[in-house]
């Protein structure tokens, strides 16, 4: 029989997992790009990869302390945003999306290539960079929490840091979006020529937005690798689309939407895959003639269906303003 | 001010005597705010704008008229940096503007509106207005994070926005999305928003298109008011009645060229203008392009109507 209690417990773990926090932060960065500024960035996975590899390589190859590795990642992310933005932000919106999707793939291939194996670990990726972060942990060893949220000191430390960063990022974005800066950026989303005609340097604002959202993605990339190893295959285009899914689920031009969207996405994904795995063990899939590999993939189908229903019945996202949607052309 | 005023009973005060010498296309003005030379713009084989010389008088209301496709909007785009000319240069208040990006042109005090209205749909009407204000400290990303540095300025901007909105009868809509406004209200909003920056020169591309007659009168008063406040207005308009009513000076474009200019009454009886509206081939077969001809005939009727009424 399928153990539903276990499925719920496992899904509960995702509620506050660092991965959920990482996706929330990456989606918040995308909200700044897409939801608030109207920049169609399809390369958020690239920004996350830069965070992951920037941190990993600085630590392993150059033996940087944690803060140094974080700064390297952020610096690289700003350079990446400039490389993407300088040629494309003056052009029509679609150019940015083409360039970002290609640039993110190029980055992933560079990290995968054998030529740079000594630094990037090639397809195997990197591991063994967590020491510095663990050393900063002020929490004494032991077991903390209860129920599905029982964890050791490192996991607790990681969750505290991850969610604190998410909260700070949310407050930052919230303050920016209610300021005159946010007004300019939202104006650009609506019609950049109109904003130009009012004397605002549109190019400059788009660049600032691209950098800010990109840095959020990069920091998300760093959080993402602290509970696991760096594997280049994680940074494929699907990652970007999962983040878009989260964003649309929560509401594109909202601050809390990406966070809640990420939580729902991960809890749902965990519940569905838990169910599929157990149902398969119980032989349910054999009845309809599905192989175990096929069964494994059904979780994405199910998640996809659930998300489609959400988008159909609540297209503005969970936190989006219904009134706003009435006017979407 | 170089222009004398001639008060007429019941009608707006017109600025007169702004030109130097004989009135011909490109006549110099006593106090020009814009001086353009040899401005051309081609699209493929089509010469959309080919302006040899034109001067726009300061602190006056100048109308730019001409048939559809005459190049008025293109000329606006060139003057405001939204398009790049093939050749030519022009100055605004003595400062050369060729090659200056559009946002900088706006900062210099030359603000425009668009023929196809650009309301920022998913911003509230009030936010649309506030966006128009110049020199906002909170538009700097880092200052934006420290609200106490910009809150006071924000309040001042809001007060000014509400005042303008009230003048344009949009104050009750302040909290609504601009997307919920009617076409005419959007025109009004765009004009009000342009005024938030206290411009020196306001360039309006068909400000009256789609605005109902009741509101047209108040819009005309606003435009006249801008002149009283010391601003210069350059506007494109097809409604001859209105041009005659408020314009101090009229410039006529056809096929990219300035074909005539002068005070409204003189221009409207100028054969070159009638030519422009009928197309230079009006002596040929009228059946060639019935739609175009119909439009032209209507334009002429309007011209003559306007003549009758004065
Ligand atoms: N981006 C463009 N590409 C190609 N041709 C263009 C472009 N913009 C304008 N034109 C052409 O240039 C000419 C002038 O157009 P413009 O929009 O300036 O006319 P207009 O005087 O504003 O007309 P209307 O009174 O109808 O608004 C037209 O023949 C038009 O087809
Ligand atoms: Mg036009």
């Amino acid at each position: 029989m399928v153990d539903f209690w276990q499925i719920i417990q496992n899904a509960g773990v995702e509620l506050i997992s660092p991965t959920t926090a990482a996706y929330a932060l990456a989606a918040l960065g995308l909200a700044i790009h897409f939801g608030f500024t109207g920049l169609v960035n399809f390369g958020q996975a690239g920004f996350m990869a830069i965070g992951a590899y920037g941190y990993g390589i600085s630590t392993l190859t150059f033996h940087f302390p944690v803060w140094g590795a974080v700064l390297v990642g952020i610096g690289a992310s700003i350079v990446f945003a400039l490389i993407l933005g300088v040629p494309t932000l003056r052009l029509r919106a679609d150019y940015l999306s083409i360039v970002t999707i290609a640039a993110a793939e190029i980055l992933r291939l560079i990290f995968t290539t054998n030529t740079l194996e000594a630094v990037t670990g090639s397809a195997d990726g990197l591991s063994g960079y967590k020491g510095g972060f663990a050393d900063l942990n002020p929490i004494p060893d032991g077991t903390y929490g209860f129920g599905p949220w029982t964890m050791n000191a490192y996991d607790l430390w990681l969750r505290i840091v991850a969610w604190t960063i998410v909260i700070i990022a949310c407050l930052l974005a919230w303050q920016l979006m209610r300021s005159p800066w946010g007004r300019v950026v939202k104006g650009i989303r609506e019609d950049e020529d109109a904003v130009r005609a009012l004397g605002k340097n549109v190019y400059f604002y788009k660049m600032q937005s691209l950098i800010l959202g990109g840095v959020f993605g990069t920091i998300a990339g760093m959080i993402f690798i602290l509970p696991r190893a760096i594997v280049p295959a994680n940074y494929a285009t699907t990652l970007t689309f999962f983040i878009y899914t989260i964003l649309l689920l929560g509401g594109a031009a909202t601050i809390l939407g990406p966070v809640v969207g990420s939580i729902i996405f991960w809890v749902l994904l965990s519940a569905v895959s838990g169910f599929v795995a157990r149902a398969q063990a119980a032989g349910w899939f054999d009845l309809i003639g599905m192989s175990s590999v096929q069964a494994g993939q059904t979780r994405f189908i199910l998640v996809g269906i659930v998300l489609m229903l959400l988008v159909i019945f609540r297209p503005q996202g969970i936190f989006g303003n219904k009134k706003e949607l009435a006017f979407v052309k | 001010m170089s222009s004398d005023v001639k008060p007429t009973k019941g009608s707006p005060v017109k600025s007169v005597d702004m030109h130097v010498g004989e009135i011909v296309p490109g006549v110099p003005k006593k106090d020009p705010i814009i001086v353009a030379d040899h401005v051309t713009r081609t699209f493929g084989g089509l010469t959309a704008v080919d302006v040899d010389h034109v001067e726009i008088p300061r602190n006056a209301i100048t109308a730019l008229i001409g048939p559809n496709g005459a190049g008025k909007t293109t000329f606006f785009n060139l003057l405001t940096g939204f398009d790049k000319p093939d050749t030519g240069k022009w100055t605004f208040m003595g400062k050369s503007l060729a090659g200056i990006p559009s946002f900088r042109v706006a900062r210099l005090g030359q603000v425009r509106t668009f023929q196809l209205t650009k309301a920022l749909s998913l911003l509230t009407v009030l936010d649309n207005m506030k966006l128009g204000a110049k020199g906002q400290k909170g538009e700097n990303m880092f200052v934006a994070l420290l609200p106490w540095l910009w809150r006071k300025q924000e309040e001042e901007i809001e007060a000014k926005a509400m005042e303008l909105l009230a003048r344009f009868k949009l104050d009750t809509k302040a909290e609504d999305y601009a997307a919920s406004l009617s076409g005419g209200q959007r025109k009004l909003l765009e004009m009000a928003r342009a005024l938030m920056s206290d411009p020196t020169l306001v360039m309006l591309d068909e400000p009256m298109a789609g605005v109902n007659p009741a509101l047209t009168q108040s819009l005309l008063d606003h435009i006249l008011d801008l002149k009283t406040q010391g601003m210069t207005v350059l506007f494109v308009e097809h409604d001859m009645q209105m041009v005659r009513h408020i314009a101090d000076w009229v410039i006529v474009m056809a096929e990219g060229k300035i074909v005539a200019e002068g005070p409204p009454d003189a221009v409207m009886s100028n054969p070159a203008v009638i030519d422009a509206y009928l197309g230079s081939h009006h002596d040929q077969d009228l059946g060639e392009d019935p739609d175009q001809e119909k439009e032209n005939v209507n334009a002429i009727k309007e011209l003559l109507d306007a003549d009758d009424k004065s």
Side-chain angles (χ1 to χ4, degrees):
Chain A
M1 202 36 230
V2 175
D3 180 356
F4 281 100
W5 179 235
Q6 189 58 44
I7 293 175
I8 291 171
Q9 286 217 328
N10 287 348
V13 171
E14 296 299 336
L15 203 63
I16 56 161
S17 81
T19 309
T20 305
Y23 275 62
L25 186 57
L28 182 62
L30 205 54
I32 292 171
H33 290 156
F34 176 72
F36 289 105
T37 320
L39 300 175
V40 189
N41 165 24
F42 278 127
Q44 195 67 339
F47 282 105
M48 291 180 76
I50 284 179
Y53 280 93
Y55 186 89
I57 293 172
S58 315
T59 308
L60 294 171
T61 308
F62 300 104
H63 308 290
F64 280 10
V66 170
W67 62 265
V70 169
L71 286 185
V72 167
I74 292 176
S77 165
I78 293 172
V79 172
F80 186 57
L82 288 171
I83 291 172
L84 294 178
V86 167
T88 56
L89 289 181
R90 285 185 204 280
L91 305 173
R92 239 178 36 214
D94 5 1
Y95 290 92
L96 180 73
S97 50
I98 297 167
V99 168
T100 47
I101 200 167
E105 278 296 277
I106 291 170
L107 267 186
R108 184 176 65 86
L109 294 174
I110 290 174
F111 291 134
T112 316
T113 176
N114 286 329
T115 322
L116 299 172
E117 177 153 21
V119 183
T120 62
S122 179
D124 294 336
L126 300 169
S127 56
Y129 45 77
K130 292 173 201 161
F133 179 73
D135 289 345
L136 293 177
N137 185 358
I139 301 164
D141 277 342
T143 307
Y144 299 88
F146 59 91
W149 303 288
T150 310
M151 62 196 88
N152 64 25
Y154 176 82
D155 287 342
L156 179 62
W157 170 232
L158 176 52
R159 278 162 181 74
I160 290 172
V161 171
W163 285 103
T164 307
I165 292 174
V166 171
I167 290 166
I168 292 172
C170 282
L171 289 174
L172 262 169
W174 174 73
Q175 178 56 39
L176 275 177
M177 291 312 163
R178 61 199 277 273
S179 76
W181 187 87
R183 190 158 62 217
V184 175
V185 150
K186 286 182 248 176
I188 291 172
R189 174 191 69 198
E190 297 303 313
D191 190 322
E192 55 178 82
D193 274 343
V195 176
R196 254 185 216 115
L198 297 173
K200 321 291 178 197
N201 187 347
V202 167
Y203 178 65
F204 187 63
Y205 282 98
K206 289 208 276 189
M207 189 61 90
Q208 287 182 336
S209 166
L210 186 65
I211 291 175
L212 180 69
V215 166
F216 279 15
T218 295
I219 297 174
M222 296 179 194
I223 296 174
F224 183 67
I225 58 162
L226 287 172
R228 56 174 66 74
I230 301 176
V231 183
N234 282 344
Y235 304 95
T237 314
T238 36
L239 175 58
T240 300
F241 287 116
F242 283 150
I243 294 168
Y244 262 102
T245 308
I246 286 170
L247 182 65
L248 298 179
L249 185 59
T254 62
I255 302 294
L256 283 182
V259 177
V260 175
S262 178
I263 291 174
I264 293 178
F265 179 84
W266 279 105
V267 168
L268 207 63
L269 191 66
S270 164
V272 172
S273 40
F275 173 76
V276 168
R278 284 176 180 75
Q280 194 212 336
W284 290 10
F285 284 99
D286 299 338
L287 300 176
I288 51 171
M290 257 191 193
S291 74
S292 61
V293 176
Q294 286 170 329
Q297 293 303 318
T298 48
R299 64 184 182 138
F300 287 112
I301 298 175
L302 288 177
V303 170
I305 290 171
V306 172
L307 293 177
M308 274 163 67
L309 290 176
L310 259 165
V311 171
I312 289 167
F313 291 107
R314 202 168 167 85
Q316 74 273 35
I318 292 163
F319 280 87
N321 186 342
K322 184 93 196 181
K323 219 166 76 192
E324 222 168 77
L325 204 80
F327 303 116
V328 173
K329 321 105 203 150
Chain B
M1 206 63 349
S2 62
S3 42
D4 305 321
V5 281
K6 172 185 76 176
T8 331
K9 174 171 55 84
S11 62
V13 181
K14 297 274 183 130
S15 310
V16 296
D17 214 11
M18 295 175 293
H19 59 284
V20 182
E22 197 196 338
I23 299 186
V24 289
V27 58
K29 306 296 180 311
K30 285 178 180 158
D31 184 18
I33 191 164
I34 283 190
V35 181
D37 279 298
H38 312 294
V39 179
T40 63
R41 174 69 165 110
T42 53
F43 295 107
L46 175 95
T47 305
V49 170
D50 181 5
V51 171
D52 203 39
H53 182 85
V54 72
E55 298 185 5
I56 312 292
R58 189 194 305 267
N59 191 212
I61 301 177
T62 304
L64 183 60
I65 65 169
N68 293 122
K72 306 178 295 292
T73 299
T74 309
F75 191 50
F76 257 45
N77 288 344
L78 294 172
L79 290 182
T80 50
F82 277 87
D83 194 4
K84 301 251 173 306
D86 300 331
T87 66
K89 53 187 175 17
W90 62 97
T91 61
F92 170 65
M93 299 203 292
K95 189 179 178 340
S96 175
L97 278 195
I100 306 270
S102 49
F103 76 91
R104 216 162 264 147
V105 173
R107 281 185 197 173
L108 288 170
Q110 181 184 329
V111 175
R112 70 169 298 180
T113 65
F114 294 86
Q115 181 171 3
L116 299 172
T117 325
K118 292 184 185 295
L120 304 166
S121 307
L122 294 188
L123 260 55
T124 63
V125 169
L126 185 58
D127 273 345
N128 263 271
M129 292 296 288
K130 286 179 177 173
L131 198 57
K134 269 204 259 191
Q136 298 188 44
K137 294 186 205 122
E139 287 182 354
N140 175 301
M141 194 178 184
F142 299 101
V143 178
L145 293 171
L146 313 169
W148 56 92
L149 292 180
W150 49 263
R151 194 155 286 151
K152 189 165 167 290
Q153 191 188 28
E154 180 84 356
E155 279 161 16
E156 290 163 9
I157 290 171
E158 182 160 337
K160 183 173 167 187
M162 288 309 297
E163 199 182 295
L164 266 171
L165 282 178
R167 274 212 272 147
F168 283 77
K169 306 248 185 314
L170 286 172
D171 45 342
T172 53
K173 297 267 180 191
E175 298 304 327
D176 295 357
Y177 282 122
S180 72
L181 298 183
S182 73
Q185 287 171 326
R186 285 181 210 194
K187 278 270 172 206
L188 294 175
L189 173 61
E190 199 183 16
M191 187 168 154
R193 189 175 66 194
L195 298 182
M196 279 297 288
S197 65
D198 297 322
T200 317
L201 169 64
V202 192
M203 296 173 61
L204 308 168
D205 200 344
E206 302 198 13
M208 301 300 167
V211 176
N212 80 50
L215 214 52
T216 309
Q217 190 51 49
S218 87
L219 208 61
L220 289 182
D221 293 340
H222 289 314
I223 295 178
L224 289 165
D225 205 32
L226 299 182
K227 186 171 92 170
T228 327
Q229 292 170 28
M231 288 178 224
T232 304
V233 180
L234 175 63
F235 73 105
V236 173
E237 186 52 60
H238 286 292
D239 180 342
M240 295 303 155
Q241 192 103 12
M242 168 187 163
V243 169
R244 177 182 290 271
H245 184 57
I246 64 165
D248 301 310
W249 192 262
V250 178
I251 298 176
V252 187
M253 267 184 105
E255 295 174 357
K257 294 191 171 58
I258 309 282
V259 293
E261 61 177 293
D265 292 326
V267 162
M268 295 198 179
S269 49
N270 185 336
V273 178
I274 299 177
D275 242 16
Y277 273 87
L278 279 181
S280 44
H281 311 294
H282 63 273
D283 45 335
Q284 291 174 9
D285 183 11
L286 274 174
E288 257 181 342
D289 182 353
D291 282 349
Q292 183 62 35
E293 288 301 341
K294 196 160 162 239
E295 210 168 284
N296 290 340
V297 169
N298 282 340
I300 284 294
K301 276 192 192 140
E302 265 184 56
L303 279 175
L304 299 176
D305 275 359
D307 253 339
D308 291 345
K309 278 177 194 150
S310 62

